[in-house]
Amino acid sequence: MAHFRALSAAVYGIDASLIDVEVDYSGTTTNEEHFHMVGLPDAAVRESRDRVRTAIKNSGYLIPPTFITVNLAPADLKKEGSGFDLPIAVGILGAYNAITLTDLSPFLFVGELGLDGKVRPVPGMLPVAIMAREKGIPNLILPADNAPEAAVVEGVNIYPVTSLLDVIDLLNGAIMGTIQREPFRVSTEKLLGELQQFTVDFKDVRGQQTAKRALEVAAAGSHNILMIGPPGSGKTMLAKRLPSILAPLTFDEALETTKIHSVAGVLDAAAGLVTHRPFRSPHHTISDAGLIGGGIVPRPGEVSLAHNGLLFLDELPEFPRNVLEVMRQPLEDHTVTIARASMSLSFPARFMLAAAMNPCPCGYFNDKSRECMCTPPMIQRYVAKISGPLLDRIDIHIEVPAVQYKELRGGAAAEGSSEIRDRVMTARERQRERFRSHGEKIYSNAQMTTRQIRAYCELGADAERLLERAMQQQGLTARAHDRILKVARTVADLDGAVAVTVSHLAEAIQYRTLDRSYWS
């Protein structure tokens, strides 16, 4: 037949769109350049002409000398990447009757071709599988290395292939459009049920009981936290152990996170599903595009790669101010929108921020064992690198003083991560039960809206007076007011209390170190 059609997909942001690959041939020619690609292909897609032609030849098939036109529809969407190689090759072979099936509408094809006909993996396969399920396409034919991530989507038959010949044999062996091969399957329950192993543990940390308690509260409610202390006090050590006390991912959270990692091309192909909460720790030389995301065709940045996990910024004032300021919107809205002339894409960015900083350039302001060599103007310039609006979005500010010798060499064993994590998971379960009836996806107290704060953070008369006094004396903003109530609700959940009491609220207020004019 002179005309043939195969289905493929293009990924924009973290979602996929269905693409029709139409192949038509006519006439005869002696010029191999009469192979035209239309439908807004980018350079990688245009180069697929040579890859596809050579892969078909090296697979034992010859393309007659005819005029070939390949259309990628809809024509108004820009097509990028090498994932269209496989559907283009299938369309050409179908047009020349090398494939016996004439209707390939039950199949979707994605994959890059090597010159030897091997099928290579491409990023973004999880969004493609989700789109196939939504469009009612029952079968997805893809590179073998991409099979584990696509197979976590139920309702779609996943058929991994290693070569173009494998695809042809698969389709020609189908009976009445049904492939005579068992689809690839994985057990998502088994993946998520595997016990997480951490190489670090809170029992390694000596002293710092106040900081450990603050980190426990932060983990239980997914609150942003800033640790302030001199060099060597253990701020980075504490932050690196924070993932060991976070609650496990739910399946919905794991799916959301895996989509982002899949699109960014950083997903572990063997795992297929992100089963641990991400821990991202970019260097302070990172650009704003690297942190938030960007590019001609926008790609997710570190804040999106940390979605449903932890973003750790060490030496916070060393980050360029413009880089820190772009975090204000994702910290508030839990999403990043990147606008370009050709498109505007949104990436989820619901992450827990953990940051660490010294109190001054030399690091020893307010330290009892070392003298600070900084002048007040130097300290003010150092602190001013972090804007008030950004600090306002950090729920917990905690001092991490230098560890005393007796604590450092003490023989008493510190509490381990497993005990802390049990309390965190119990508090998280209370939160999940509380928010189960809400339509939007809310997993923690930090995600509460203003209406939910009023409903779940009611205060008694004594607590009202305490909060009013703190607001007036510390000059707290309305945003700080809401964040104090969210933290107090988490403290109450850790305590197993139904209502927020004065003691819960007092602890939450104490976690606003910077609002108490720490450097004055």
Side-chain angles (χ1 to χ4, degrees), residues 192-355:
L192 288 175
E194 291 178 353
L195 183 64
Q196 299 185 28
Q197 301 293 333
F198 296 95
T199 57
V200 294
D201 196 286
F202 266 98
K203 65 175 60 175
D204 304 328
V205 182
R206 297 290 180 175
Q208 303 297 8
Q209 296 305 316
T210 303
K212 288 181 181 178
R213 169 63 179 179
L215 288 170
E216 179 181 339
V217 173
S222 193
H223 300 291
N224 303 323
I225 184 169
L226 172 62
M227 293 175 284
I228 311 145
S233 59
K235 303 183 297 297
T236 304
M237 187 179 187
L238 286 164
K240 289 183 176 179
R241 282 153 179 77
L242 189 50
S244 67
I245 64 172
L246 296 178
L249 285 169
T250 65
F251 179 71
D252 288 341
E253 287 177 313
L255 209 58
E256 291 174 357
T257 308
T258 305
K259 283 177 69 174
I260 300 169
H261 286 233
S262 175
V263 168
V266 298
L267 181 66
D268 181 1
L273 187 70
V274 176
T275 57
H276 296 187
R277 292 193 181 274
F279 178 82
R280 307 293 299 186
S281 181
H283 193 259
H284 59 74
T285 56
I286 192 172
S287 66
D288 52 357
L291 187 65
I292 297 299
I296 298 175
V297 177
R299 285 285 185 263
E302 290 292 330
V303 296
S304 293
L305 292 173
H307 181 64
N308 288 323
L310 179 67
L311 177 68
F312 176 51
L313 302 183
D314 203 0
E315 304 296 345
L316 188 64
E318 300 302 325
F319 285 79
R321 179 158 181 158
N322 67 300
V323 173
L324 294 178
E325 290 305 296
V326 295
M327 282 204 308
R328 286 161 56 175
Q329 185 241 345
L331 280 172
E332 195 70 24
D333 300 334
H334 310 302
T335 186
V336 172
T337 300
I338 303 172
R340 294 291 181 266
S342 58
M343 65 181 68
S344 179
L345 297 177
S346 293
F347 298 104
R350 187 176 57 245
F351 60 92
M352 176 183 166
L353 173 65

